[in-house]
Amino acid sequence: MFPSIHALVIMGVAGCGKSSVGQTLCRLNGATPIEGDAFHPPENIRKMSAGIPLTDEDRSGWLGILCDELRRAVAAGQRPVLACSALKRSYRERLREAVPGLGFVYLELTPAIATRRVAERPDHFMPASMIDSQFATLEAPHGEPLTLVLDASRQDVSQLAAAADEWWRQHWPD
């Protein structure tokens, strides 16, 4: 018997495919997508656009909003899928405290691939120059509970979403 996962976070550094995998996963299983970037305050967007890494203080209010969004969706009977970097363990713990039964899918890839992917994204506020700071902040969730690690450098979006879907379905509440 697997422990129940009521909501899921697709996490990793910029360029790993969080949004694309999350949206594809939601199409596979009828879950509700939540795009974490949509909840950043304008000041955070301004800083990141200017190549200035966010601090824990910058992220605190944003994480609070994401906790509220996850709680609201679960209370409404939805299965939310949040696309969110969740780079530090303390950020993930805050999300876990807000929503018991929260699972994480970590899309792991190399700095070189992340830099290339971010450089190729049109119309996104995160410049490729920020990738080094993302990896400097990252505390990979290896060994954390209810966490699936997928190699985002060797699989495409549909393969990653299918693997996440298969894993999550094993943890759906009865």
Side-chain angles (χ1 to χ4, degrees):
M1 186 68 165
F2 294 107
S4 294
I5 296 177
H6 301 279
L8 203 61
V9 176
I10 309 294
M11 62 154 296
V13 299
C16 70
K18 296 179 292 289
S19 298
S20 298
V21 170
Q23 291 167 2
T24 303
L25 175 61
C26 289
R27 283 193 297 274
L28 285 173
N29 64 32
T32 303
I34 301 173
E35 177 52 59
D37 283 348
F39 296 94
H40 272 298
E43 180 62 16
N44 283 9
I45 301 292
R46 186 196 64 73
K47 285 180 83 170
M48 288 185 284
S49 296
I52 301 168
L54 297 181
T55 65
D56 289 347
E57 185 177 329
D58 294 328
R59 290 185 179 103
S60 182
W62 173 67
L63 285 168
I65 293 168
L66 297 180
C67 288
D68 291 344
E69 287 296 313
L70 284 170
R71 278 192 294 259
R72 180 197 54 72
V74 169
Q78 300 169 345
R79 286 190 316 272
V81 174
L82 170 64
C84 170
S85 55
L87 297 175
K88 287 188 176 183
R89 185 175 187 130
S90 62
Y91 306 161
R92 295 186 295 276
E93 290 303 325
R94 185 167 173 190
L95 292 165
R96 285 180 177 114
E97 287 172 13
V99 181
L102 184 62
F104 287 82
V105 174
Y106 171 44
L107 302 178
E108 189 170 43
L109 77 168
T110 66
I113 293 172
T115 300
R116 178 182 50 81
R117 288 182 182 176
V118 171
E120 293 172 351
R121 289 194 306 198
D123 305 322
H124 194 278
F125 60 82
M126 175 77 75
S129 62
M130 295 283 293
I131 295 300
D132 287 342
S133 72
Q134 292 261 296
F135 278 93
T137 302
L138 177 65
E139 296 170 359
H142 296 281
E144 290 183 18
L146 298 178
T147 300
L148 174 66
V149 177
L150 296 174
D151 184 348
S153 64
R154 296 177 189 234
Q155 295 178 307
D156 66 22
V157 168
S158 61
Q159 292 170 318
L160 293 165
D165 182 56
E166 180 180 339
W167 177 76
W168 193 15
R169 285 178 188 270
Q170 294 173 5
H171 294 274
W172 278 2
D174 294 331

